[in-house]
Amino acid sequence: MRRLGLVALLAWGASLMMPPALAADAPLERGPFAAALCGDGAAQTKAVEAFLHRAAEAEAAEIAWAGAALRALLDRRLACLGETALLLDRAGAAEGVEAATGTARPAAGGRSPVLGLRQRALVETASGAAALLTGPSVEARRAGLSILERRIGAVPEAFLLRAASAETDPGLRASLAAVAQSAALSSPDPARRLAAIRAVSEAPSGAAFSRLSALKTDAAYGSDPAFRSALDAALARVERAVSIGNGLAVLYNGLSFASILFMAAAGLAIIFGLMGVINLAQGEFIMIGAYATYGVQEVLRRLAPAWLDAYLLAAIPVAFLASAAVGIAIEALILRHLYRRPLMSLLATWAVSLFLINGVRVAVGSQNLQFAMPSYVSGGVPLYADFVVTWNRLFAIAFAVATLALTLVILKRTPLGLDIRAVTQNRDMAACLGIRTRRVDRLAFGFGSGLAGLAGVALCPIYSVNPGMGANFIVDSFMVVVLGGVGTVAGTLVAALGIGSANVLIEPLYGAVAAKVIVLAGIILFLQRRPEGLFAVRRRR
């Protein structure tokens, strides 16, 4: 709504500043203009400045023609033969067309005009103005606007108003509105400056705050009480909005990090709570899930490129099964021989971690993998001030919620979940009741490893994927498990939210390393008072 109001304001300003019949004015005289481009620096400057001032009223065809001549001058494709200027297809071509008439003519004996530094900057600005108003594509018009932004003071305000009212692309129209605001803030008309200050404050952002802050050095700030009052009120409003937006961004980033942390730690909590195994290879199961996602992407790229956009969704069962299969194999080959020997199981999983990391490095390489960004995780939507809801982080949050719901259903509503809870509470009694505890251990280890693989899927659109990526999450995952309470999904969720948010809140203030140290110190102090964590699992011995 703010953008629509801003565009309406610009259109109203254009209706006031432009005459009703823009095309009724005299057309641009092509011959004298082309001759001036072939002249000395003074003639070039005068002609280009006149074109900029007339651009708000000239016909689109005349602006396009002048833009072609100016681009030819910049690219050294303008050949001057006396009073005649030729447009060439390429620099040094043997033939061209007369700029004024379009007649083909040999370019033999022609010279290329010389541009001074001041003239080149002015010609680039005029060429950008022509591209902004007559460019055939949004990209061409956006490139023209980027040129104008560097020298906005040389562009008449009426031209910006015309371009904003004629633009059809919403994103480029919003960018044009921001540039027009910047120009209006320096307008000699006090009423337009006050209107521009109010318009800027209605679309708060860090850039808007910078533009308004620069006006404090303006002479009117000290001499005009109305100007000072309006500027101070606008600055206070924008600063408050930017602070709220930054706070929302921190909370949003913390929630997305906590979501991934929960998926990484949920499986670890099940394994640790059930078997008492400190699995140092849990981070590598995350890596396996990410690499399985990359494999699905490459298979779809080669066999079904039309379905490439859906590779993240297709990778969910593949990543889960790949990580679960590796986990079951490790449990069957190594860990089942080391139960009740926690130190040996710790060293064994550390060795497995090193083996998996180096095995992937040998097989695939150590470089970061390149993922195609599907449309549903690309971009975002501005919500408030500088806070943007990005789709990739929202995907991670939604994915974590779905994973939490599925995990609770499995643990609470399936025979496997009942067996896992029974063995967790009292392994010997569960065995006496006929539960095959070794089978439960194997399936639970595979299930916990598969949950880590799902975390790898959620990581792909956000973080770098390489063989050592799991090390960034293993320490935080263990802190989540210990703080939440060993073997509890609810405790894992609460601890992940707390640790993830605390890391994101502290990191901008003290740095990443200090944030982890502060969080770890807080966890240690908490565990001194409550060693069982936030939620203790009921056990019968």
Side-chain angles (χ1 to χ4, degrees):
M1 293 298 295
R2 289 197 300 266
R3 289 185 176 178
L4 290 176
L6 185 56
V7 172
L9 175 64
L10 291 171
W12 172 77
S15 66
L16 292 178
M17 300 190 64
M18 288 190 232
L22 294 177
D25 289 0
L28 180 69
E29 297 182 4
R30 299 187 176 188
F33 183 78
L37 295 183
C38 287
D40 58 12
Q44 292 170 343
T45 300
K46 184 177 179 181
V48 176
E49 287 179 344
F51 164 74
L52 282 172
H53 284 89
R54 285 178 45 80
E57 304 175 358
E59 292 184 353
E62 300 299 328
I63 294 175
W65 173 85
L70 292 169
R71 285 192 297 273
L73 177 60
L74 290 170
D75 298 339
R76 302 185 67 82
R77 294 186 293 105
L78 190 70
C80 299
L81 293 170
E83 296 296 323
T84 303
L86 302 181
L87 299 180
L88 310 179
D89 290 336
R90 65 183 187 281
E95 186 176 300
V97 296
E98 290 189 9
T101 64
T103 305
R105 181 174 172 180
R111 63 176 181 85
S112 179
V114 177
L115 281 175
L117 292 178
R118 180 174 181 272
Q119 286 75 30
R120 176 171 290 277
L122 193 60
V123 171
E124 287 177 351
T125 302
S127 175
L132 175 62
L133 204 58
T134 62
S137 64
V138 175
E139 291 74 17
R141 297 195 296 275
R142 195 180 301 278
L145 179 60
S146 66
I147 295 174
L148 293 187
E149 285 181 305
R150 298 196 293 266
R151 306 180 183 94
I152 192 63
V155 183
E157 185 178 356
F159 174 81
L160 294 175
L161 292 172
R162 177 183 179 181
S165 62
E167 182 55 53
T168 57
D169 180 73
L172 185 54
R173 190 187 305 125
S175 301
L176 263 168
V179 173
Q181 285 175 0
S182 299
L185 290 175
S186 304
S187 173
D189 183 1
R192 283 201 59 76
R193 297 188 77 184
L194 293 177
I197 289 173
R198 287 193 296 271
V200 170
S201 67
E202 290 173 359
S205 64
F209 184 79
S210 299
R211 290 200 300 269
L212 292 176
S213 298
L215 294 179
K216 281 193 169 185
T217 60
D218 194 279
Y221 185 76
S223 60
D224 188 348
F227 181 86
R228 175 187 294 179
S229 175
L231 182 59
D232 288 342
L235 280 171
R237 179 180 180 181
V238 172
E239 185 176 15
R240 182 171 59 254
V242 169
S243 298
I244 294 174
N246 291 340
L248 291 174
V250 169
L251 292 177
Y252 182 64
N253 293 338
L255 185 59
S256 66
F257 179 69
S259 301
I260 295 172
L261 200 56
F262 164 75
M263 287 188 287
L268 189 62
I270 294 172
I271 294 170
F272 193 19
L274 179 67
M275 295 175 283
V277 173
I278 302 175
N279 182 20
L280 291 183
Q282 189 75 1
E284 280 55 59
F285 293 127
I286 299 175
M287 180 261 294
I288 290 173
Y291 274 79
T293 304
Y294 180 76
V296 172
Q297 172 191 266
E298 294 306 301
V299 169
L300 288 179
R301 192 193 301 276
R302 289 176 172 81
L303 302 181
W307 292 90
L308 180 60
D309 211 40
Y311 80 88
L312 272 180
L313 302 178
I316 292 174
V318 176
F320 179 86
L321 293 175
S323 299
V326 175
I328 290 174
I330 291 172
E331 195 279 339
L333 296 176
I334 301 173
L335 290 179
R336 72 185 184 91
H337 303 290
L338 302 176
Y339 291 144
R340 304 183 187 278
R341 300 169 65 185
L343 180 58
M344 294 302 296
S345 64
L346 178 70
L347 294 176
T349 55
W350 180 52
V352 169
S353 168
L354 297 178
F355 174 80
L356 291 175
I357 292 173
N358 289 285
V360 171
R361 282 176 178 165
V362 171
V364 183
S366 58
Q367 70 279 1
N368 290 335
L369 299 183
Q370 299 298 320
F371 286 89
M373 286 296 108
S375 57
Y376 49 87
V377 295
S378 299
V381 57
L383 193 63
Y384 188 76
D386 288 330
F387 173 46
V388 178
V389 176
T390 53
W391 301 132
N392 58 349
R393 293 185 180 276
L394 189 61
F395 172 79
I397 295 171
F399 191 30
V401 172
T403 302
L404 171 63
L406 183 61
T407 301
L408 291 177
V409 168
I410 291 174
L411 292 178
K412 301 291 186 181
R413 303 294 182 184
T414 65
L416 174 62
L418 180 62
D419 290 347
I420 289 175
R421 288 186 289 132
V423 174
T424 300
Q425 290 185 12
N426 194 317
R427 176 179 291 272
D428 295 335
M429 184 59 69
C432 292
L433 294 174
I435 296 176
R436 298 166 59 186
T437 57
R438 290 304 184 199
R439 176 178 174 273
V440 172
D441 288 340
R442 188 164 303 167
L443 293 177
F445 199 93
F447 180 61
S449 303
L451 290 178
L454 294 182
V457 177
L459 278 169
C460 292
I462 303 176
Y463 295 97
S464 299
V465 174
N466 54 62
M469 62 179 295
N472 298 325
F473 294 92
I474 187 63
V475 175
D476 288 336
S477 298
F478 272 109
M479 288 195 295
V480 167
V481 171
V482 174
L483 178 62
V486 175
T488 64
V489 176
T492 302
L493 175 62
V494 174
L497 290 172
I499 292 177
S501 300
N503 268 297
V504 174
L505 286 170
I506 299 173
E507 188 172 324
L509 301 175
Y510 303 104
V513 176
K516 291 190 179 298
V517 172
I518 293 172
V519 171
L520 179 60
I523 293 173
I524 292 173
L525 292 176
F526 177 82
L527 293 177
Q528 294 294 318
R529 300 293 303 272
R530 192 178 176 85
E532 67 275 14
L534 293 170
F535 297 85
V537 177
R538 291 177 298 173
R539 296 176 183 271
R540 294 182 177 90
R541 298 300 183 197

